[in-house]
Amino acid sequence: LPTHIDGAAPIYPLPPTPRENRVLPEDLKTPDKHVERDPRLIRLTGIHPFNVEAPLSELYDEGFLTTKDLHYVRNHGAVPAVEDPSVLDWEFTIEGMVARPVTLTLRELIQNYDQATYPVTLVCAGNRRKEQNVVRKTKGFSWGAAGLSTALWTGVTLPDLLARARPLRGARYICFEGADRLPNGYYGTSVKLGWAMDPERGMMVAHKMNGEMLHPDHGKPLRVVIPGQIGGRSVKWLKRIIVTPAPSDNWYHIYDNRVLPTMISPEESADLPETWKDERYAIYDLNTNSAVCYPAHDERLAVGDGLYKLKGYAYAGGGKRVTRMEVTLDQGRTWMLAAVSYPEDLYRLAPDGEVLYGGRLDMAWRESSFCWCFWELDVPISRLQKAGDVMIRAMDDAMMVQPRDMYWSVLGMMNNPWYRVVIHNEGNTLRFEHPTQPALIPGGWMERVKKEGGNITNGFWGEKTAGEDSAPAQEAP
Amino acid sequence: LPTHIDGAAPIYPLPPTPRENRVLPEDLKTPDKHVERDPRLIRLTGIHPFNVEAPLSELYDEGFLTTKDLHYVRNHGAVPAVEDPSVLDWEFTIEGMVARPVTLTLRELIQNYDQATYPVTLVCAGNRRKEQNVVRKTKGFSWGAAGLSTALWTGVTLPDLLARARPLRGARYICFEGADRLPNGYYGTSVKLGWAMDPERGMMVAHKMNGEMLHPDHGKPLRVVIPGQIGGRSVKWLKRIIVTPAPSDNWYHIYDNRVLPTMISPEESADLPETWKDERYAIYDLNTNSAVCYPAHDERLAVGDGLYKLKGYAYAGGGKRVTRMEVTLDQGRTWMLAAVSYPEDLYRLAPDGEVLYGGRLDMAWRESSFCWCFWELDVPISRLQKAGDVMIRAMDDAMMVQPRDMYWSVLGMMNNPWYRVVIHNEGNTLRFEHPTQPALIPGGWMERVKKEGGNITNGFWGEKTAGEDSAPAQEAP
């Protein structure tokens, strides 16, 4: 249990108790046969490599903090195996344009540097990609809307780490490289050095998740955590930190985690190296996004009096906050304001000097927000009965609102149009239908409408618009 | 002329030569009878107070930097009169939660502090508000799309200024107050102290604009410049800087520059003080926005072979960059990528130690962008002839894209849906029609479509959509 300055119970959330998992039979024939996992996780790329999300309702039901059991995983290849006794001997380097290059063990990192603990929501850039794949196949696999999770991370902040290494004049980027050997080399990427030096951005190297040593799928024994940015920047199994004058030239930095302009097809993209290298198309900050968690897909609701509580999550990127959530039952003609709660703010209220899992929980000074929030709205069931669908949109504190239109792109990332749940009125029951189901799981109104010949790219969810002929759905864009 | 370290011509833009203006006859009977102005500026609130924008084409034609002649002005009341000989004796205070409160003259500010010069685009939160007013009358007056301007500002950065005043523990906000006495007190507002202390955010107190003493309409002799945020935070005629634990309680901070949730009507808003005070609805960062400048409203183009160059501007807020501009000729079914130029980046290439107008031009280290950019795209005239309209949208480096749908709100601020120019095919000529014209100037497709009974709130610019009856336009929302 955490140490509390005043001995009182903490006013901020602590993680749910994790399960005892074991190695699953399907993993025994893979290189990951040393990794214990929760069978509830939905595999998105076959058995191996391990890319999973939780069922959306179960993720939501865990609350603000996600256990290792249900935390989404994005692995490009085999999980490096590090035995418990050798964890503290794990070495990594800080090299490149620094006055004091250094090789550190995890033991030294823990002993010689200030430790910090705070909550961060990680989100895969592919969250909600299945929707894009239904419109037109992208080069990415089909995430549902549970490609995000929140944990308490403990480690050393990058400003602290870099203050000792002392970046040299002319250095502009910081590259990270993991121990996962892949077809195109080790996984690696970079962010701007100025960001890494800024305490407001809260970047860290972490060795604990929810108070425990990192799980192998989450980078055991050491990873980067880049709050407010896509998960692809938070390199796991960290081996090298390299300070450079230019962005990473790692294959995965250039050919992954980008939003190319929407008119570029997968075929065309193969011949556009300069487009791939254009840093303007690299994704760093998360964009603003949200989902409906309740009603769940295929949930049934008896028609009657009374209220139904719509519920879900939202997040923004780059330290921004979701400042409002709006719900429409008439396809955007009118909107209702949902209540939003921000459990992250409870950590800001911790007493001065609070220590959690061996790290300072010192968030009172920080303006930025790095976690998901929750929205809910009570709606009369009679109104749901009359509505054809429920849609939601978030606005962030940069006054940007989620768009009606999908921005389709080759990698299918950053999908964030209004989240739409269709309501089927089936006699005495309402049945709810989400846009898609993750992976190859069938279901969802998008596939259905597309099969019925509706154009799901027109900003009206397959309904006909003026001037549109009755031709079947075109491939976008 | 600026001092250049190497004696070469600067590689960055310098301001166009301003005109010699005089006091205009219409101002002689107002409290502003001491202020010389350019007659081309379009008055948006009658003769007085002075709220103006330039004709959009003339603003664009001046280029990256705007002269004082055409720079937009937002005055709440009479312009304080400060005679030239007393300018250096202008006093302002730094007070509140600081270890060293101080009263400074402009002379001391110039003599005792490092001076900096850099370009900043200021944008009124009401830019493009006329479009909202056509949908439903807001509480604000009708800006067109020229409520923005760019100048080189010279002064002292807030991190430098605050380092000497030394904010105390617990301080969270920095309030600014001007000398313009108004019905609800002096104009004042606040931003977060953490932002003001962050060099990346580039906040400053400025005493020169484009190398000259500030023009009275722009804060003579001293103003705040808050890059990347709405113009309403850049307090003019600065008298007080107050460091506080809470946001400003100035009337203008609370009841101006907010985006209330869209469902709140002007009538309802009168009884919602807690909603007005909710800082989540306060506007700080600019949202991402863009406009077509050419073709201009009412421009005619002869049908024929050859290309027409579409041109315009775009901007993002909070230091972000516009990373792509897209143009559609088929109402969003397909998009073309425009070329984008960033003149601001030329200043980053200035030699080490460059001084301009007495201030360091030292932008090489800074990642943030605070200026508008320009886009253009050559399109065959034959394609324009076949299209019903041209629409554009910007995406920023947070991967947020301008929405199709207007977010209407009580104050009509931050209007940023796709900018749409209608193309009228009139025999051998194409005639272009912008959404609106500023102030009470008639013209634009929005007023026309609304008069014709089209629903301009449906996300389809007045075209009928499936399930819509033929009822005349409803008032939004």
Side-chain angles (χ1 to χ4, degrees), chain A residues 169 172-173 192-195 198 200 258-264 279-288 320-324 326 332-337 340 342 348 352 364-367 393-407 409 414 416 418 455 457-460 463-468 474 476-477, chain B residues 169 172-173 192-195 198 200 258-264 279-288 320-324 326 332-337 340 342 348 352 364-367 393-407 409 414 416 418 455 457-460 463-468 474 476-477:
Chain A
R169 192 178 164 78
R172 292 294 285 270
Y173 294 85
K192 288 188 183 173
L193 181 62
W195 300 343
D198 179 0
E200 274 285 339
R258 307 235 158 186
V259 176
L260 298 197
T262 188
M263 70 293 297
I264 298 175
E279 273 280 312
R280 291 182 301 170
Y281 305 145
I283 313 165
Y284 294 100
D285 289 351
L286 292 163
N287 60 6
T288 299
K320 292 198 298 291
R321 181 186 287 265
V322 168
T323 50
R324 73 194 76 183
E326 292 169 325
R333 286 182 189 84
T334 61
W335 295 86
M336 292 173 286
L337 195 64
V340 184
Y342 306 92
R348 300 183 205 270
D352 248 16
W365 58 275
R366 173 147 59 78
E367 301 292 357
R393 66 180 180 190
M395 186 183 278
D396 62 38
D397 50 22
M399 299 294 168
M400 291 299 282
V401 67
Q402 286 182 250
R404 174 199 294 255
D405 296 66
M406 175 183 289
Y407 191 92
S409 71
M414 310 305 270
N416 74 334
W418 304 347
N455 176 1
T457 71
N458 70 356
F460 266 90
E463 295 182 16
K464 294 241 169 12
T465 60
E468 221 178 18
Q474 288 175 280
Chain B
R169 193 177 162 79
R172 292 295 286 268
Y173 294 86
K192 289 188 181 173
L193 182 62
W195 300 342
D198 179 359
E200 273 286 339
R258 307 235 158 185
V259 176
L260 298 197
T262 188
M263 71 291 298
I264 299 174
E279 272 279 312
R280 292 183 300 170
Y281 305 144
I283 314 165
Y284 295 99
D285 289 351
L286 292 162
N287 60 5
T288 299
K320 291 198 298 293
R321 182 185 287 265
V322 169
T323 51
R324 72 194 76 184
E326 292 169 324
R333 286 182 189 85
T334 61
W335 295 86
M336 293 173 284
L337 195 63
V340 184
Y342 307 92
R348 301 184 204 268
D352 249 16
W365 60 273
R366 171 147 60 79
E367 302 291 357
R393 66 180 182 191
M395 186 184 276
D396 61 38
D397 50 22
M399 299 295 168
M400 291 299 282
V401 65
Q402 287 182 250
R404 176 199 293 255
D405 296 66
M406 175 183 289
Y407 192 93
S409 72
M414 310 304 271
N416 74 334
W418 304 348
N455 177 358
T457 72
N458 69 355
F460 266 90
E463 295 182 16
K464 295 238 168 15
T465 61
E468 222 178 19
Q474 289 175 280

Side-chain angles (χ1 to χ4, degrees), chain A residues 390-429:
Chain A
V390 181
M391 283 187 275
I392 60 165
R393 66 180 180 190
M395 186 183 278
D396 62 38
D397 50 22
M399 299 294 168
M400 291 299 282
V401 67
Q402 286 182 250
R404 174 199 294 255
D405 296 66
M406 175 183 289
Y407 191 92
W408 187 93
S409 71
V410 165
L411 295 181
M413 289 169 160
M414 310 305 270
N415 186 55
N416 74 334
W418 304 347
Y419 194 94
R420 176 175 184 242
V421 175
V422 170
I423 306 173
H424 295 280
N425 199 330
E426 301 180 336
N428 289 325
T429 307

Side-chain angles (χ1 to χ4, degrees), chain B residues 121-186:
Chain B
T121 297
L122 294 177
V123 186
C124 184
N127 192 33
R128 296 183 61 190
R129 184 193 280 129
K130 175 73 172 275
E131 297 168 47
Q132 298 232 335
N133 279 338
V134 177
V135 167
R136 177 178 183 166
K137 182 102 191 64
T138 73
K139 287 184 171 214
F141 58 86
S142 287
W143 288 96
L148 80 171
S149 309
T150 306
L152 285 162
W153 300 96
T154 301
V156 176
T157 69
L158 288 190
D160 280 2
L161 202 56
L162 290 168
R164 294 219 213 159
R166 299 215 311 272
L168 299 172
R169 193 177 162 79
R172 292 295 286 268
Y173 294 86
I174 178 167
C175 306
F176 308 108
E177 200 177 273
D180 43 340
R181 192 155 185 70
L182 304 170
N184 294 294
Y186 293 103

